[in-house]
Amino acid sequence: MNENLFASFIAPTILGLPAAVLIILFPPLLIPTSKYLINNRLTTTQQWLIKLTSKQMMTMHNTKGRTWSLMLVSLIIFIATTNLLGLLPHSFTPTTQLSMNLAMAIPLWAGTVIMGFRSKIKNALAHFLPQGTPTPLIPMLVIIETISLLIQPMALAVRLTANITAGHLLMHLIGSATLAMSTINLPSTLIIFTILILLTILEIAVALIQAYVFTLLVSLYLHDNT
Amino acid sequence: MASVVGIFSHSSVSVPVKDKKLLEVKLGELPSWILMRDFSPSGIFGAFQRGYYRYYNKYINVKKGSISGITMVLACYVLFSYSFSYKHLKHERLRKYH
């Protein structure tokens, strides 16, 4: 039972490591680009969704922050499609691997910090001390704020990993419980119902992408403007 | 499959046909036909590109494309993932001895 439960999270290999690369490269095939103004239904739907999310995300930034819009929109599209494809049966979700999420989180966070330090160094350093703290408390608070800054990329990566992995594990467990109960006890329809509800709630994995990009946005915003 | 050069997304891109299509090759000529194919990286990439646009233009890039255009791709993805995880799944069969 133990080996089976986590077996779906092993990175698939063909004769070495790289099958996971193929699976990561699969979502762009579902997002066609087009040079025409009026497109087929799939392209029109996707362009409408992208326009909606990008407008929603980018209004709170100034001109300098909006230079990041391509990066952030592609980030949200990638994480959204990868998480949604992971809901299909037997599929492998690359975002369950902590290595990939760290590889996404650390460079982006470091980019925002470095951008803030390069442009307005005094404003960037001022984040370490909130306004109106009593004087004896200052050294401890600087340490605490530094730690909270340095833990941001870790939090981003671990949040995404843990949420997606936990959702998948729960679905596995409840699914196998349903199969086991179906021969024993027929009012196991309650358990089947739990699966359905859990699946729809798990499609709020897409909301997790919102969380990812929004926290990234918030930090970018703070580093740029304040 | 006709061998083409350049980006092949629709038929009005003019391309020369290098050799016969697969269904026109006689059975005795099959080994020489396979050896004539372009197996360089750009050739393989061209083959994937042609396959992608063949599917795209038939099922998705039409005036009233339905949802089956993309659900076929997802069903193939599910089968592909199943073939990868078969090794783990075969221990879960309902048999007395595994």
Side-chain angles (χ1 to χ4, degrees), chain A residues 23 29 32 40-41 85 89-90, chain B residues 52 56 60-61 65 77 81-82:
Chain A
I23 295 182
L29 291 179
N40 49 26
R41 284 182 178 176
L85 279 177
H90 302 302
Chain B
Y52 175 79
Y56 182 71
I60 301 181
N61 205 8
Y77 178 65
S81 314
Y82 180 74

Side-chain angles (χ1 to χ4, degrees), chain A residues 145-160:
Chain A
E145 291 285 331
T146 315
I147 294 178
S148 82
L149 178 76
L150 292 176
I151 215 170
Q152 273 180 350
M154 298 291 145
L156 278 173
V158 173
R159 179 190 304 125
L160 187 59

Side-chain angles (χ1 to χ4, degrees), chain A residues 76-145:
Chain A
I76 188 173
I77 288 173
F78 173 66
I79 303 183
T81 48
T82 311
N83 289 345
L84 285 175
L85 279 177
L87 292 175
L88 294 171
H90 302 302
S91 55
F92 168 71
T93 321
T95 43
T96 53
Q97 313 295 315
L98 183 65
S99 50
M100 184 175 121
N101 294 338
L102 275 175
M104 284 198 294
I106 291 184
L108 289 169
W109 167 82
T112 62
V113 169
I114 291 176
M115 196 155 139
F117 271 108
R118 280 179 61 179
S119 52
K120 301 176 198 167
I121 191 166
K122 207 184 280 186
N123 286 4
L125 282 174
H127 284 311
F128 289 136
L129 195 60
Q131 273 184 339
T133 60
T135 320
L137 228 51
I138 288 182
M140 205 182 65
L141 211 56
V142 169
I143 294 178
I144 290 179
E145 291 285 331

Side-chain angles (χ1 to χ4, degrees), chain B residues 20 22 24-36:
Chain B
K20 296 194 250 185
L22 178 60
E24 296 166 11
V25 169
K26 296 187 177 32
L27 199 59
E29 298 175 349
L30 198 61
S32 59
W33 183 87
I34 288 180
L35 289 173
M36 267 202 293

Side-chain angles (χ1 to χ4, degrees), chain B residues 60-74:
Chain B
I60 301 181
N61 205 8
V62 292
K63 209 169 194 179
K64 289 194 165 197
S66 69
I67 205 173
S68 67
I70 198 169
T71 45
M72 277 198 279
V73 180
L74 294 181

